[in-house]
Amino acid sequence: GVGAFGQRVVGVGQGLGHGPVPALAVVVALAVGAAPQPRLGEHLLVELAGIADGRQVVYSLHVLDDIAEDGDIVEIFVNGTSYGRILLSNAGQDVLIPLPAGTNAQVHVLAVQDGGGGVTFGVTTSQGEIRSTVMPQGGSDDWSVTIQ
């Protein structure tokens, strides 16, 4: 039939008259083995409410490769929670972590991949700068921070 605007109308049980509908290949590019990206947190709305009313603060880590940009990867943990794996670069990357105000936090950095010559990283925070020793893959560095 013909619709109100001149378009062809196909009713139930009527074919389109063009033969079978061909299957289309859909390709979705997925990164295999990609490192998880650092995140603000899994409970974003609760964390934002806590930040707004002063119960939480955002602790910022600027993490970078402070020697040679050679493919080193580290994983950042704060109080036992992973905030993601980071491919270190000389430019660095910010990791934002909501934490309860007035508490201490334990930061643990795990050397996941050594790009060559040992894993080296630097971290800048509002409380200062930290530089790691040269770590083997699987090595780690730990420190405590007081959240104001």
Side-chain angles (χ1 to χ4, degrees), residues 7 20 36 43 62 71 85 88 100 109 111 116-117 128-129 131-132 143 146:
Q7 77 275 22
H43 307 288
H62 184 75
R85 291 182 175 188
L88 297 175
V109 180
E129 188 174 285
R131 303 244 179 219
S132 74
W143 67 89
T146 300

Side-chain angles (χ1 to χ4, degrees), residues 77-112:
F77 295 86
V78 178
N79 293 335
T81 299
S82 173
Y83 281 84
R85 291 182 175 188
I86 299 172
L87 173 61
L88 297 175
S89 69
N90 293 139
Q93 181 174 339
D94 291 323
V95 180
L96 303 177
I97 303 166
L99 293 169
T103 62
N104 291 327
Q106 302 301 314
V107 180
H108 176 78
V109 180
L110 175 65
V112 174

Side-chain angles (χ1 to χ4, degrees), residues 62-86:
H62 184 75
V63 183
L64 57 99
D65 193 323
D66 63 344
I67 305 284
E69 195 171 300
D70 58 1
D72 294 342
I73 296 176
V74 297
E75 186 168 3
I76 306 289
F77 295 86
V78 178
N79 293 335
T81 299
S82 173
Y83 281 84
R85 291 182 175 188
I86 299 172

Side-chain angles (χ1 to χ4, degrees), residues 39-52 55-58 81-83 96-99:
R39 63 200 190 298
L40 183 58
E42 294 176 356
H43 307 288
L44 180 61
L45 294 178
V46 173
E47 291 165 351
L48 290 175
I51 291 166
R55 290 178 291 130
Q56 294 201 74
V57 296
V58 175
T81 299
S82 173
Y83 281 84
L96 303 177
I97 303 166
L99 293 169

